[in-house]
Amino acid sequence: MQDDYGNALIAQTLYERLESLTQGMQAVNDRLQLGDERMSRIEGNNERLQGELESNTKATKEVAENTKDIVRLAQAIEGLQQLIERIARWARPLTAIAGLCAAVFGAWKVFRGGAQ
């Protein structure tokens, strides 16, 4: 007996076909069992990871609470630094103006004869 492509067909008995189907079904059942075991491991890992996540979240909140004052201090220092920079921006020209005024006053005293 041959198929449409000329390949020889091996006649199987009903028993051989049932045996072949049984083996195929056993292979599928084995793969399903392995899948069930794998899913059980994944679910177990998921529960463990969920517990670790909750622990990390709690620790993060504690650190945030404990460092709140340090953050406020750093923000205050940053604001103070900006204030000092603005004062320094005005202080340079004012210092130059004060020096010029002192020089003019000193020259005026010398020319008026008041330097002793």
Side-chain angles (χ1 to χ4, degrees):
M1 214 181 218
Q2 291 182 346
D3 64 5
D4 293 339
Y5 301 102
N7 298 323
L9 292 176
I10 301 173
Q12 291 182 341
T13 63
L14 184 58
Y15 176 75
E16 290 172 338
R17 287 184 182 175
L18 284 175
E19 186 64 31
S20 175
L21 285 175
T22 304
Q23 289 174 355
M25 289 182 66
Q26 184 61 40
V28 169
N29 286 336
D30 291 344
R31 290 186 67 192
L32 287 173
Q33 182 63 32
L34 290 174
D36 283 345
E37 292 171 2
R38 183 171 180 256
M39 280 305 288
S40 296
R41 284 194 313 269
I42 289 172
E43 289 171 353
N45 285 340
N46 187 25
E47 292 171 3
R48 182 182 54 84
L49 291 175
Q50 186 67 29
E52 289 179 9
L53 178 64
E54 290 172 3
S55 173
N56 281 344
T57 302
K58 182 181 176 184
T60 301
K61 287 179 181 178
E62 288 177 3
V63 168
E65 185 65 31
N66 292 339
T67 59
K68 184 174 28 176
D69 293 335
I70 295 172
V71 171
R72 284 188 195 145
L73 178 63
Q75 290 171 342
I77 289 173
E78 183 179 342
L80 180 63
Q81 183 180 5
Q82 291 175 355
L83 177 66
I84 291 172
E85 287 175 1
R86 288 182 183 167
I87 291 172
R89 199 175 299 140
W90 283 97
R92 289 182 195 113
L94 290 177
T95 303
I97 291 170
L100 178 65
C101 289
V104 168
F105 181 72
W108 181 69
K109 278 294 220 177
V110 167
F111 289 127
R112 296 272 301 172
Q116 296 173 353

